[in-house]
Amino acid sequence: AQSVTQLGSHVSVSEGALVLLRCNYSSSVPPYLFWYVQYPNQGLQLLLKYTSAATLVKGINGFEAEFKKSETSFHLTKPSAHMSDAAEYFCAVSRGGSQGNLIFGKGTKLSVKP
Amino acid sequence: GAGVSQTPSNKVTEKGKYVELRCDPISGHTALYWYRQSLGQGPEFLIYFQGTGAADDSGLPNDRFFAVRPEGSVSTLKIQRTERGDSAVYLCASSPTSTKETQYFGPGTRLLVL
């Protein structure tokens, strides 16, 4: 069975500082992994996804994530936080095969201080 | 092009009433998903359609919940005898064809059961 754990329900960084949002997964099959961002009162927007190609995945808005099989991790990073990055971030794993639904973590709310 | 749209954006109803939530996927997308997001949680899978048929309804919590997609495009999620615990944001997503592809989310319908 697949599952996702996001460490830290709230993360606060200063503007210009490194952003690191942690995600660990459990999957009985090679996983597809996703990071989505949700701004207040908006739908989920895909930041990036890993589908068994390059392990370092670059996404929109300067975010990237590295798939580490040995650590079962897919942490999201951004070198320099911007005020507009304040949002909630969700890591998700696909059940894979013919089962396409995503299994989401509980989310991490990112705050950016001026 | 137009994204996934959901109507209504907000729905307030009384315990015991029947509600219908509508999802208009991106034109041409054959896969459609419904998720439910409770306060402070990540989205939880409800049901997945491939074309007109429900390929996986394992996430529906009980038989009060039902969804249809009669022409392979618009989908309606139906909840009978609503309960206060059904209050949540109901999210719809669509993807072009296979389960490997990115899911595009609508803004959601916020359901409040009084």
Side-chain angles (χ1 to χ4, degrees):
Chain A
Q2 284 76 21
S3 67
V4 170
T5 302
Q6 290 186 243
L7 298 175
S9 57
H10 287 88
V11 170
S12 182
V13 301
S14 297
E15 193 173 18
L18 171 72
V19 176
L20 171 60
L21 304 182
R22 299 178 187 272
C23 172
N24 288 88
Y25 70 92
S26 170
S27 179
S28 55
V29 297
Y32 297 148
L33 294 159
F34 305 79
W35 276 99
Y36 280 85
V37 60
Q38 188 175 37
Y39 298 101
N41 299 316
Q42 295 188 28
L44 293 158
Q45 180 182 6
L46 181 72
L47 277 177
L48 48 81
K49 65 180 180 181
Y50 167 78
T51 56
S52 75
T55 56
L56 182 62
V57 182
K58 294 187 183 298
I60 61 171
N61 301 338
F63 284 94
E64 63 181 36
E66 186 171 8
F67 172 69
K68 292 187 176 180
K69 184 178 179 180
S70 61
E71 299 177 9
T72 62
S73 69
F74 190 57
H75 302 330
L76 181 70
T77 61
K78 181 173 180 177
S80 176
H82 192 273
M83 297 296 291
S84 61
D85 294 327
E88 189 146 25
Y89 292 80
F90 292 94
C91 182
V93 61
S94 172
R95 284 180 63 185
S98 61
Q99 305 301 323
N101 58 285
L102 298 175
I103 296 165
F104 286 86
K106 291 188 175 183
T108 298
K109 188 169 183 178
L110 176 67
S111 300
V112 182
K113 299 174 290 187
Chain B
V4 177
S5 62
Q6 293 185 245
T7 54
S9 54
N10 290 279
K11 176 71 176 178
V12 181
T13 190
E14 293 178 344
K15 180 175 178 294
K17 298 289 188 182
Y18 168 83
V19 296
E20 289 190 351
L21 312 180
R22 176 188 168 107
C23 172
D24 245 299
I26 293 172
S27 178
H29 282 194
T30 61
L32 185 147
Y33 307 81
W34 283 99
Y35 295 84
R36 179 168 71 173
Q37 186 174 18
S38 300
L39 199 61
Q41 302 293 318
E44 292 179 306
F45 169 72
L46 295 176
I47 187 169
Y48 156 51
F49 286 90
Q50 186 60 255
T52 60
D56 182 358
D57 65 357
S58 62
L60 294 177
N62 51 60
D63 61 6
R64 295 187 298 106
F65 288 75
F66 188 71
V68 295
R69 195 186 184 198
E71 297 178 359
S73 179
V74 170
S75 177
T76 305
L77 178 66
K78 308 180 182 195
I79 311 174
Q80 297 177 324
R81 304 183 304 280
T82 52
E83 299 178 358
R84 293 194 179 87
D86 299 334
S87 298
V89 177
Y90 290 80
L91 298 169
C92 176
S94 70
S95 67
T97 51
S98 79
T99 58
K100 299 180 183 180
E101 299 183 57
T102 299
Q103 294 182 25
Y104 297 87
F105 283 80
T109 292
R110 189 175 300 273
L111 176 66
L112 177 61
V113 182
L114 300 176

